[in-house]
Amino acid sequence: MRLDKYLSHLQFGSRKEVKALIRDKRVRIAGELVTDPGYNILPGVAVEVNDAQADGPLEVDYLMNKPAGVITATEDPTQSTVLDLIRPHDYRPGLYPVGRLDKDTTGLLLLTTDGNLGHTLLAPNHHVPKTYAAKLAKALTTEMKHQLEQGVALKDFTTAPADVQVVPATDNKEIHITITEGKYHQIKRMLLAVDNEVVALTRIAMGPLRLPEDLDAGEYRALTDDERSLLDQMVR
């Protein structure tokens, strides 16, 4: 990879700014001064900018605990997006959220630069399970639970059977519900269809990924090697 592209991916500036940085003799490779922006970077070679190590993965996968009030998009002229929560040093070109959570829905969100991974996870034929913790306006009855588990007829489609677990000691007003589709407002629409209403919704799992209990709203971290391996196994 070209040196200017490499440093631009690591957020040292635009390609124009990085070229100026290189020509100002502020970059060393394996200890040697390099002034050619087109210098070919080999894997594992040490790169320094202003005598500080310049490293980090060019491709990234982040697990975020999405807060309420931000939209799941890469950019928006008027509203804050999940990418606005990414620190400049951690951003990489092509980073995007896999799927979407409504503005008021919180919880697990995967962001990646791997287009193939995102496409595969969202492909309908892969039936990737997604689990949500839902707080309800009123107690879930046995009949409501049965309807959700059989599949609910909505205006535009009939949902696949959901797995519904009532959270103990919540007077049947909190449930964990797992679906394999991901239609717009699907969980909310499903509960409305059985004469109930979602008052708060948090995604707690997607495929093999789980929302870490110690990850605060608005925070994110890189996927662990084990988490990435589990994703790779699933999409294969």
Side-chain angles (χ1 to χ4, degrees):
M1 177 180 287
R2 287 176 56 102
L3 176 59
D4 55 354
K5 183 177 181 181
Y6 176 81
L7 293 179
S8 180
H9 271 64
L10 291 180
Q11 305 306 298
F12 280 92
S14 65
R15 291 285 282 273
K16 181 179 180 181
E17 292 168 335
V18 165
K19 285 179 180 179
L21 189 74
I22 296 167
R23 288 170 177 151
D24 284 346
K25 301 180 180 180
R26 295 161 65 185
V27 179
R28 293 180 180 273
I29 299 176
E32 299 295 325
L33 187 67
V34 174
T35 57
D36 177 12
Y39 185 96
N40 185 40
I41 296 290
L42 299 176
V45 175
V47 180
E48 295 180 349
V49 177
N50 296 327
D51 298 321
Q53 190 76 20
D55 56 15
L58 298 184
E59 305 297 331
V60 295
D61 309 294
Y62 297 132
L63 191 157
M64 175 182 285
N65 185 354
K66 177 193 170 296
V70 296
I71 63 172
T72 308
T74 55
E75 59 181 353
D76 189 274
T78 60
Q79 302 182 79
S80 295
T81 76
V82 292
L83 286 191
D84 293 327
L85 301 175
I86 301 296
R87 293 179 286 274
H89 178 73
D90 293 332
Y91 178 78
R92 298 291 183 273
L95 184 66
Y96 75 103
V98 177
R100 67 184 304 278
L101 294 177
D102 298 334
K103 186 175 181 178
D104 60 346
T105 298
T106 62
L108 187 153
L109 184 67
L110 175 66
L111 298 101
T112 183
T113 54
D114 187 340
N116 289 331
L117 174 65
H119 175 76
T120 304
L121 290 174
L122 296 176
N125 60 311
H126 277 260
H127 306 294
V128 176
K130 295 167 278 288
T131 302
Y132 296 80
K135 294 183 179 180
L136 308 179
K138 55 187 178 182
L140 190 80
T141 65
T142 301
E143 177 58 26
M144 291 175 186
K145 185 173 185 292
H146 177 74
Q147 287 180 266
L148 294 170
E149 292 176 334
Q150 292 300 305
V152 180
L154 302 177
K155 184 177 180 179
D156 50 341
F157 77 109
T158 298
T159 69
D163 179 78
V164 181
Q165 304 294 326
V166 176
V167 178
T170 64
D171 294 325
N172 283 26
K173 288 187 175 183
E174 293 186 27
I175 63 172
H176 289 174
I177 179 169
T178 301
I179 61 173
T180 54
E181 306 111 334
K183 303 291 187 179
Y184 184 63
H185 289 325
Q186 182 171 335
I187 300 290
K188 297 174 183 177
R189 294 174 65 198
M190 289 171 70
L191 269 298
L192 285 173
V194 300
D195 193 32
N196 209 321
E197 184 178 357
V198 173
V199 296
L201 191 64
T202 298
R203 184 156 67 188
I204 58 176
M206 179 179 180
L209 302 179
R210 299 292 180 271
L211 181 65
E213 293 183 1
D214 60 351
L215 193 64
D216 293 334
E219 291 299 310
Y220 63 92
R221 64 160 172 77
L223 289 187
T224 66
D225 290 341
D226 286 345
E227 288 169 336
R228 179 65 205 219
S229 177
L230 288 170
L231 284 178
D232 290 340
Q233 290 175 32
M234 185 183 68
V235 300
R236 282 200 299 269

